[in-house]
Amino acid sequence: MTAPRPAGPLILRNRAFAAVWLGQVLTQAAVRMFQVGVSWWIVAYAVADARGLASGLFMAACTLPAVVLAPVVAGAVGRFAHRSVLRGAAGLAAVVAGILAVWAQGGGPPLAGVYAAALALATCQAFFDPCLTTSVPELVDDADIETATGFELSTQSLAGLGGALLGALTVDRAGVAALAAGCAAAYAGAAVLVASARFRTAGAAPADQAQTGQAEQAGGADQAGAPAAAPAARRPLRRILGELPYVRRILVCFTAANLFTAAVFVVIPLYTRSVLGGGGGTVALLEASLGGGALVGAFTGTRVPGRPTVAGACCLGLMAVALALPGVFSHLPVVAGCLAVAGWCAGAVSVRFVALFQRLVPTADKPGFFAVMQAVLGASLPVASLVFGSAGDLLSPQTLCLVQGVGLLPAACALALLGARTPEPAPAAHPETPQTPQTVGGAR
């Protein structure tokens, strides 16, 4: 008879998960603190000319490793112990941030050194985040996996919001040296917390493994000596997407939309300095508006009525208006409100479509699909940073806002046409069985 699960919040009754979760909070806060703080330092203090290009290069350096190193990260996470990967990534990030702090303490660090530190920290984070998600079954019981995953995702947004609030304020008041020192302390604390946690070596209790072995022996002798069923071979992503044209077209729409939405992280510091004439506090307010809106959207997105394609098209249209309005009205309350609306739209759209993909993609194909989905959508971040950063040296921030809004409209229209022309496919009756094009609404 299975013992009843202890009552109470997961982080209070599972010390290992609580330690790793706290480590995640520290790393997420550190990475956002570093990104926002250095972006503001580049625009406000470090660069006199070509501020847009300089900040665009920095944001590209912060987002490129997660895309380029995806195969290497997947191999490392599958080959090495997860605690070692997490501890090593956090520890190395602490060393890099510490070196930058010492360097900056002796004077203003060169821009090339900051770029190198950004690449190194982003590389460490590219290993830490997917490894943490993969290691959840080694930290909690099977019945707690969904709770742990939801808790991890929600607090990740909160940690990023907190880091964004602190980044620009720290640079204004104490400089880059203090910013890097704070990041180093956060990463070091994360490494210590991960090292103190006990991971299950095989992701299952010994008794479960024994039962699995007995079941395999029984299955091998079943049906007059018939061999046990072999595990399904992993299918290439091209074949998966080829059988899911509805999903493929949605991904194309959002990849195009990301080229314009991702530019907001470059536009915010440029707009703050050139249009609003504000400081780090203004950057923190705008980042908080955007992040707070996204957090609310993630919790309320499931309540948006209508089919996902219709709701997504409406949200993209509303986001286009919200991102374009600061190009016409340059008042701080208006800009903050528009960013809050844009963040809400982004959070709501993400929830609706990730849930849709969870229903439509066969279970056996989900690991590869979601990994590549993140890489495809993430690939637009460095491109958007470079393009809008370079354009920021030629065009005013108000013009960039208008370009963002106008650029989102084709993606919104394409998503609306997709929903009008193609019936939404029904979930597969047997998720483990690959779907054929006919079961996906007959779309071609």
Side-chain angles (χ1 to χ4, degrees):
M1 182 176 179
T2 304
R5 188 174 58 182
L10 180 61
I11 59 172
L12 295 182
R13 52 186 169 83
N14 188 322
R15 294 182 179 179
F17 176 76
V20 176
W21 166 74
L22 284 174
Q24 180 209 21
V25 170
L26 290 174
T27 59
Q28 289 295 327
V31 71
R32 284 298 292 149
M33 181 177 173
F34 185 79
Q35 289 177 0
V36 174
V38 173
S39 293
W40 175 242
W41 172 75
I42 289 173
V43 171
Y45 300 101
V47 178
D49 299 318
R51 295 187 182 94
L53 177 60
S55 60
L57 284 172
F58 170 73
M59 290 305 301
C62 290
T63 53
L64 196 60
V67 178
V68 176
L69 298 178
V72 179
V73 171
V77 172
R79 180 178 302 176
F80 300 105
H82 293 159
R83 182 169 68 172
S84 298
V85 175
L86 293 171
R87 181 181 56 202
L92 182 59
V95 172
V96 171
I99 292 174
L100 180 61
V102 173
W103 194 355
Q105 188 64 37
L111 207 56
V114 175
Y115 288 157
L119 273 173
L121 292 177
T123 300
C124 294
Q125 201 69 34
F127 282 87
F128 191 94
D129 288 337
C131 185
L132 178 67
T133 303
T134 307
S135 65
V136 167
E138 300 176 22
L139 297 166
V140 302
D141 296 330
D142 184 71
D144 289 325
I145 287 180
E146 290 187 0
T147 302
T149 302
F151 196 76
E152 170 194 331
L153 293 177
S154 62
T155 53
Q156 179 177 347
S157 300
L158 289 172
L161 178 59
L165 284 170
L166 292 174
L169 290 174
T170 302
V171 168
D172 269 355
R173 298 181 181 181
V176 176
L179 178 75
C183 293
Y187 281 119
V192 171
L193 286 167
V194 169
S196 68
R198 296 184 60 182
F199 286 62
R200 299 172 184 172
T201 56
D208 296 335
Q209 296 174 4
Q211 291 175 2
T212 302
Q214 293 172 3
E216 290 176 350
Q217 293 177 3
D222 193 19
Q223 297 182 355
R234 180 175 298 178
R235 303 194 303 155
L237 182 72
R238 180 177 299 179
R239 183 177 175 187
I240 296 172
L241 291 180
E243 296 176 357
L244 297 171
Y246 185 77
V247 172
R248 183 178 68 246
R249 291 165 186 168
I250 291 174
L251 283 180
V252 171
C253 290
F254 281 110
T255 301
N258 258 14
L259 290 172
F260 297 93
T261 58
V264 71
F265 299 109
V266 176
V267 174
I268 284 178
L270 295 174
Y271 195 97
T272 299
R273 188 182 189 282
S274 302
V275 180
L276 299 178
T282 303
V283 175
L285 174 61
L286 298 182
E287 289 280 354
S289 300
L290 182 67
L295 188 61
V296 174
F299 283 107
T300 60
T302 55
R303 301 179 183 179
V304 177
R307 296 171 52 192
T309 47
V310 176
C314 292
C315 285
L316 285 184
L318 179 59
M319 187 187 300
V321 175
L323 291 178
L325 276 179
V328 180
F329 303 100
S330 57
H331 302 289
L332 180 58
V334 174
V335 177
C338 288
L339 288 177
V341 172
W344 181 87
C345 293
V349 164
S350 299
V351 168
R352 289 298 298 270
F353 280 94
V354 169
L356 177 67
F357 297 155
Q358 289 282 10
R359 290 192 292 111
L360 296 183
V361 177
T363 302
D365 296 330
K366 285 180 182 178
F369 171 80
F370 283 111
V372 175
M373 182 191 77
Q374 292 295 334
V376 169
L377 296 179
S380 58
L381 297 178
V383 176
S385 299
L386 288 173
V387 171
F388 275 83
S390 301
D393 294 325
L394 305 174
L395 306 173
S396 67
Q398 294 100 317
T399 304
L400 295 182
C401 293
L402 294 174
V403 170
Q404 280 187 278
V406 173
L408 275 179
L409 292 178
C413 293
L415 199 59
L417 289 175
L418 175 63
R421 296 172 54 185
T422 308
E424 181 181 335
H430 303 285
E432 290 76 14
T433 303
Q435 295 172 310
T436 62
Q438 287 74 20
T439 61
V440 189
R444 300 288 180 186

